[in-house]
Amino acid sequence: MEKGYLRVYTGNGQGKTTAAFGVLVRALCAGKRGYVGQFIKDEAYNETFLSRHFKHLCIEQLGKGCFIDRKPDSLDKAAAQAALRHVTELMASGQYDIVVLDELTIAIHYNLVSTQAVLDALEQRCLSTEVIITGRYAPPELIAAADLVTEMKEIKHYYLQGVLSRDGFDH
């Protein structure tokens, strides 16, 4: 049995979800089974269409939307806690070789789920399941538990020049 590692992609720079999907596509092309649970997103970004091209991929949007223009509420908290219970079962089942938990650190940062609950969920996973967690603000305890941590650091971004998200490149 191959050991699955825990990867965390964090930081304020662009590319965390993109990096996770890159590893996911690599695994899928090698015949692995994949799952993506998006903890905050509730909009069909282009990467969600990958499941049309890979029969061994399941993508679920488990959140109630981004917090750009609002504060999270009790519905967001209930959704995140239900999502964590759901992905805990999936990770423990061994059904998937790779599991991406997109924006999970945002759910932790906004106290929708606790760091300890996430660590407990990870402890229950099948030993061969690779897990990638993405999002800004990864807590030190999660970083300590991870086998690989990459911090995306923003140096310069065209968003600051008024360029919004571009279809096919940024979402």
Side-chain angles (χ1 to χ4, degrees):
M1 179 167 67
E2 190 176 316
K3 176 183 174 12
Y5 290 98
L6 172 60
R7 302 170 184 227
V8 174
Y9 298 150
T10 192
N12 70 343
Q14 183 181 8
K16 297 172 290 291
T17 298
T18 303
F21 271 86
V23 174
L24 175 69
V25 167
R26 182 179 286 157
L28 292 167
C29 288
K32 307 286 187 192
R33 297 159 296 158
Y35 173 83
V36 178
Q38 295 188 307
F39 271 74
I40 305 301
K41 297 170 183 168
D42 69 345
E43 186 180 325
Y45 294 93
N46 285 323
E47 66 263 19
T48 61
F49 303 134
L50 272 178
S51 58
R52 296 177 183 171
H53 305 284
F54 292 97
K55 65 180 179 179
H56 297 297
L57 174 61
C58 176
I59 299 175
E60 294 182 307
Q61 295 188 311
L62 307 168
K64 298 293 180 191
C66 295
F67 310 132
I68 294 171
D69 58 355
R70 68 179 183 87
K71 292 194 181 281
D73 59 25
S74 60
L75 293 176
D76 293 303
K77 187 168 189 165
Q81 291 179 354
L84 186 59
R85 287 190 300 274
H86 176 62
V87 300
T88 299
E89 290 176 14
L90 289 177
M91 289 188 298
S93 75
Q95 179 180 354
Y96 296 101
D97 302 300
I98 182 169
V99 171
V100 175
L101 303 176
D102 189 35
E103 305 288 4
L104 177 54
T105 60
I106 298 296
I108 295 170
H109 178 74
Y110 283 100
N111 297 312
L112 304 180
V113 296
S114 72
T115 301
Q116 190 57 55
V118 170
L119 294 173
D120 291 345
L122 292 166
E123 283 294 317
Q124 296 176 48
R125 80 183 194 269
C126 177
L127 293 177
S128 62
T129 301
E130 187 92 3
V131 176
I132 303 174
I133 297 175
T134 71
R136 296 173 183 235
Y137 319 119
E141 300 88 349
L142 183 60
I143 289 171
D147 299 295
L148 181 154
V149 178
T150 298
E151 180 179 11
M152 309 298 192
K153 180 179 176 186
E154 184 177 304
I155 305 296
K156 186 176 182 180
H157 198 299
Y158 43 79
Y159 180 78
L160 298 174
Q161 299 168 11
V163 178
L164 299 179
S165 184
R166 301 171 306 140
D167 186 37
F169 297 101
D170 302 309
H171 67 89

